[in-house]
Amino acid sequence: MKSLKKYTNDALKYCRYWQIFIKTILIIFFLFMIYLYREDMIHYTTIQAVIKKADCKENVTIVQERYSSHNELYNDCQLNVEYIIDGKTYNKPLRTIDGKYYKNDEIYIDYENKNKENIRLHDITNKYIFYGCIIGLIIVLVMMYFIIFHKNKPFYKWFIGILCFRSLTN
Protein backbone atom coordinates (compact mmCIF):
# COMPACT_ATOMS: atom_id res chain seq x y z
CA MET A 1 0.00 0.00 0.00
CA LYS A 2 2.91 2.30 0.76
CA SER A 3 4.37 1.84 -2.73
CA LEU A 4 0.99 2.68 -4.33
CA LYS A 5 0.79 5.88 -2.30
CA LYS A 6 4.37 6.79 -3.28
CA TYR A 7 3.58 6.03 -6.94
CA THR A 8 0.44 8.20 -6.76
CA ASN A 9 2.32 11.09 -5.17
CA ASP A 10 5.11 10.83 -7.78
CA ALA A 11 2.53 10.76 -10.57
CA LEU A 12 0.78 13.80 -9.12
CA LYS A 13 4.11 15.61 -8.82
CA TYR A 14 4.93 15.04 -12.50
CA CYS A 15 1.37 15.89 -13.51
CA ARG A 16 1.71 19.11 -11.53
CA TYR A 17 4.96 19.97 -13.37
CA TRP A 18 3.28 19.19 -16.69
CA GLN A 19 0.31 21.41 -15.81
CA ILE A 20 2.61 24.27 -14.79
CA PHE A 21 4.44 23.94 -18.12
CA ILE A 22 1.24 23.89 -20.20
CA LYS A 23 -0.35 26.74 -18.24
CA THR A 24 2.81 28.84 -18.71
CA ILE A 25 2.58 28.35 -22.48
CA LEU A 26 -1.12 29.31 -22.36
CA ILE A 27 -0.33 32.44 -20.33
CA ILE A 28 2.30 33.47 -22.89
CA PHE A 29 -0.19 32.87 -25.73
CA PHE A 30 -2.97 34.87 -24.05
CA LEU A 31 -0.61 37.74 -23.22
CA PHE A 32 0.63 37.79 -26.81
CA MET A 33 -2.91 37.93 -28.21
CA ILE A 34 -3.85 40.71 -25.76
CA TYR A 35 -0.71 42.63 -26.77
CA LEU A 36 -1.56 42.31 -30.49
CA TYR A 37 -5.10 43.61 -29.94
CA ARG A 38 -3.85 46.46 -27.75
CA GLU A 39 -1.30 47.49 -30.39
CA ASP A 40 -4.07 47.43 -33.00
CA MET A 41 -6.24 49.64 -30.78
CA ILE A 42 -3.37 52.13 -30.44
CA HIS A 43 -2.77 52.44 -34.19
CA TYR A 44 -6.37 52.31 -35.50
CA THR A 45 -9.55 54.22 -34.65
CA THR A 46 -13.09 53.05 -35.44
CA ILE A 47 -15.58 55.47 -36.96
CA GLN A 48 -18.82 55.31 -38.90
CA ALA A 49 -18.82 55.76 -42.67
CA VAL A 50 -21.48 56.02 -45.38
CA ILE A 51 -21.35 53.95 -48.55
CA LYS A 52 -21.59 56.26 -51.56
CA LYS A 53 -21.29 53.55 -54.19
CA ALA A 54 -21.62 49.78 -53.87
CA ASP A 55 -20.70 47.41 -56.66
CA CYS A 56 -21.37 43.91 -55.32
CA LYS A 57 -21.07 40.73 -57.36
CA GLU A 58 -22.06 37.28 -56.18
CA ASN A 59 -19.24 34.83 -56.85
CA VAL A 60 -18.82 31.11 -56.40
CA THR A 61 -15.86 29.36 -54.88
CA ILE A 62 -15.24 25.63 -54.84
CA VAL A 63 -14.50 24.27 -51.39
CA GLN A 64 -12.58 21.00 -51.50
CA GLU A 65 -13.28 18.70 -48.58
CA ARG A 66 -11.71 15.35 -47.80
CA TYR A 67 -13.99 13.19 -49.95
CA SER A 68 -16.02 15.69 -51.93
CA SER A 69 -16.34 19.33 -52.86
CA HIS A 70 -19.13 21.85 -52.86
CA ASN A 71 -19.76 25.38 -54.07
CA GLU A 72 -20.08 28.34 -51.72
CA LEU A 73 -21.43 31.74 -52.64
CA TYR A 74 -19.82 34.95 -51.44
CA ASN A 75 -20.28 38.63 -52.20
CA ASP A 76 -17.34 40.51 -53.63
CA CYS A 77 -18.07 44.20 -53.07
CA GLN A 78 -16.12 47.20 -54.25
CA LEU A 79 -17.32 50.11 -52.10
CA ASN A 80 -16.70 53.81 -52.15
CA VAL A 81 -17.07 55.09 -48.60
CA GLU A 82 -17.24 58.59 -47.22
CA TYR A 83 -16.08 59.37 -43.71
CA ILE A 84 -15.34 62.51 -41.75
CA ILE A 85 -12.32 62.97 -39.50
CA ASP A 86 -11.70 66.28 -37.72
CA GLY A 87 -14.10 68.09 -40.07
CA LYS A 88 -12.36 66.82 -43.22
CA THR A 89 -14.31 64.52 -45.56
CA TYR A 90 -12.54 61.54 -47.13
CA ASN A 91 -13.78 59.40 -50.04
CA LYS A 92 -11.92 56.12 -50.40
CA PRO A 93 -12.47 52.76 -52.09
CA LEU A 94 -12.83 49.69 -49.91
CA ARG A 95 -13.06 46.06 -51.05
CA THR A 96 -14.82 43.46 -48.93
CA ILE A 97 -16.06 39.91 -49.31
CA ASP A 98 -17.94 39.49 -46.04
CA GLY A 99 -21.43 40.68 -46.92
CA LYS A 100 -23.66 42.50 -49.36
CA TYR A 101 -23.79 46.29 -49.08
CA TYR A 102 -25.99 48.93 -50.65
CA LYS A 103 -25.69 52.63 -51.35
CA ASN A 104 -26.25 54.87 -48.27
CA ASP A 105 -25.66 51.99 -45.81
CA GLU A 106 -23.74 53.00 -42.72
CA ILE A 107 -20.79 50.80 -41.79
CA TYR A 108 -17.97 50.94 -39.28
CA ILE A 109 -14.44 51.28 -40.56
CA ASP A 110 -11.04 51.55 -38.93
CA TYR A 111 -8.58 54.18 -40.07
CA GLU A 112 -4.90 54.31 -39.30
CA ASN A 113 -4.05 57.18 -36.96
CA LYS A 114 -0.86 58.15 -38.84
CA ASN A 115 -2.45 57.90 -42.30
CA LYS A 116 -6.15 58.70 -42.22
CA GLU A 117 -6.58 57.53 -45.81
CA ASN A 118 -5.59 53.98 -44.93
CA ILE A 119 -8.89 52.27 -44.01
CA ARG A 120 -10.25 48.79 -43.44
CA LEU A 121 -13.62 47.32 -42.59
CA HIS A 122 -14.12 47.07 -38.82
CA ASP A 123 -14.14 43.48 -37.58
CA ILE A 124 -15.97 42.96 -34.28
CA THR A 125 -14.61 39.42 -33.86
CA ASN A 126 -11.25 40.88 -32.81
CA LYS A 127 -12.92 42.39 -29.76
CA TYR A 128 -14.55 39.03 -28.91
CA ILE A 129 -11.18 37.31 -29.20
CA PHE A 130 -9.63 39.99 -26.96
CA TYR A 131 -12.22 39.55 -24.21
CA GLY A 132 -12.01 35.76 -24.57
CA CYS A 133 -8.24 35.96 -24.07
CA ILE A 134 -8.68 38.10 -20.95
CA ILE A 135 -11.18 35.61 -19.49
CA GLY A 136 -8.94 32.68 -20.47
CA LEU A 137 -5.93 34.38 -18.88
CA ILE A 138 -7.80 34.93 -15.62
CA ILE A 139 -8.96 31.29 -15.52
CA VAL A 140 -5.46 29.97 -16.24
CA LEU A 141 -3.90 32.27 -13.63
CA VAL A 142 -6.38 31.07 -10.97
CA MET A 143 -5.67 27.46 -11.91
CA MET A 144 -1.90 28.12 -11.72
CA TYR A 145 -2.33 29.66 -8.28
CA PHE A 146 -4.08 26.56 -6.96
CA ILE A 147 -1.65 24.17 -8.68
CA ILE A 148 1.42 25.94 -7.28
CA PHE A 149 0.36 27.04 -3.79
CA HIS A 150 -2.22 24.41 -2.75
CA LYS A 151 -0.56 21.26 -3.99
CA ASN A 152 -0.96 19.26 -0.74
CA LYS A 153 -4.68 19.73 -0.16
CA PRO A 154 -6.79 16.67 -1.11
CA PHE A 155 -9.22 18.55 -3.37
CA TYR A 156 -6.39 20.10 -5.35
CA LYS A 157 -4.59 16.78 -5.64
CA TRP A 158 -7.78 15.45 -7.18
CA PHE A 159 -7.97 18.56 -9.40
CA ILE A 160 -4.38 18.11 -10.63
CA GLY A 161 -5.06 14.41 -11.25
CA ILE A 162 -8.15 15.19 -13.33
CA LEU A 163 -6.25 17.82 -15.35
CA CYS A 164 -3.41 15.39 -15.97
CA PHE A 165 -5.77 12.56 -16.92
CA ARG A 166 -7.57 14.90 -19.31
CA SER A 167 -4.26 15.92 -20.89
CA LEU A 168 -3.27 12.28 -21.39
CA THR A 169 -6.58 11.28 -23.00
CA ASN A 170 -6.56 14.15 -25.50
Side-chain angles (χ1 to χ4, degrees), residues 16-30:
R16 185 174 155 263
Y17 292 152
W18 175 250
Q19 287 300 315
I20 290 170
F21 175 71
I22 294 298
K23 302 280 184 281
T24 303
I25 291 172
L26 282 173
I27 288 169
I28 292 169
F29 172 75
F30 287 140

Side-chain angles (χ1 to χ4, degrees), residues 8-166:
T8 305
N9 286 335
D10 286 345
L12 283 174
K13 181 174 78 172
Y14 293 120
C15 284
R16 185 174 155 263
Y17 292 152
W18 175 250
Q19 287 300 315
I20 290 170
F21 175 71
I22 294 298
K23 302 280 184 281
T24 303
I25 291 172
L26 282 173
I27 288 169
I28 292 169
F29 172 75
F30 287 140
L31 288 174
F32 179 72
M33 293 299 288
I34 290 168
Y35 170 77
L36 286 179
Y37 181 77
R38 183 71 183 125
E39 279 295 310
D40 191 61
M41 282 177 47
I42 290 171
H43 297 294
Y44 284 90
T45 303
T46 302
I47 60 169
Q48 199 168 24
V50 177
I51 298 173
K52 291 300 178 182
K53 180 182 171 197
D55 182 23
C56 294
K57 297 175 189 158
E58 199 169 78
N59 291 332
V60 177
T61 185
I62 299 172
V63 177
Q64 183 67 40
E65 295 176 351
R66 187 172 185 165
Y67 298 113
S68 65
S69 63
H70 68 277
N71 296 335
E72 283 187 5
L73 296 173
Y74 69 95
N75 291 308
D76 186 5
C77 294
Q78 184 65 37
L79 309 173
N80 284 338
V81 296
E82 181 179 277
Y83 55 100
I84 300 170
I85 302 171
D86 299 329
K88 186 175 179 189
T89 303
Y90 295 88
N91 286 307
K92 288 291 165 194
L94 180 65
R95 183 173 179 260
T96 179
I97 59 171
D98 73 337
K100 193 165 190 168
Y101 297 96
Y102 300 98
K103 185 178 177 178
N104 295 325
D105 279 353
E106 291 184 349
I107 60 171
Y108 286 98
I109 61 169
D110 298 331
Y111 70 88
E112 189 176 6
N113 293 334
K114 291 182 181 177
N115 181 7
K116 294 179 177 30
E117 294 184 2
N118 186 10
I119 62 170
R120 66 181 184 198
L121 194 63
H122 180 68
D123 189 9
I124 193 72
T125 56
N126 291 341
K127 190 173 280 191
Y128 294 142
I129 291 170
F130 172 70
Y131 290 125
C133 286
I134 288 176
I135 291 169
L137 180 65
I138 291 169
I139 290 170
V140 169
L141 286 173
V142 168
M143 290 171 78
M144 275 284 271
Y145 170 77
F146 288 125
I147 289 171
I148 292 173
F149 296 110
H150 297 286
K151 61 185 177 187
N152 293 326
K153 295 186 178 175
F155 175 74
Y156 298 112
K157 281 185 178 180
W158 174 81
F159 180 66
I160 292 169
I162 293 295
L163 289 175
C164 188
F165 181 72
R166 215 179 96 223

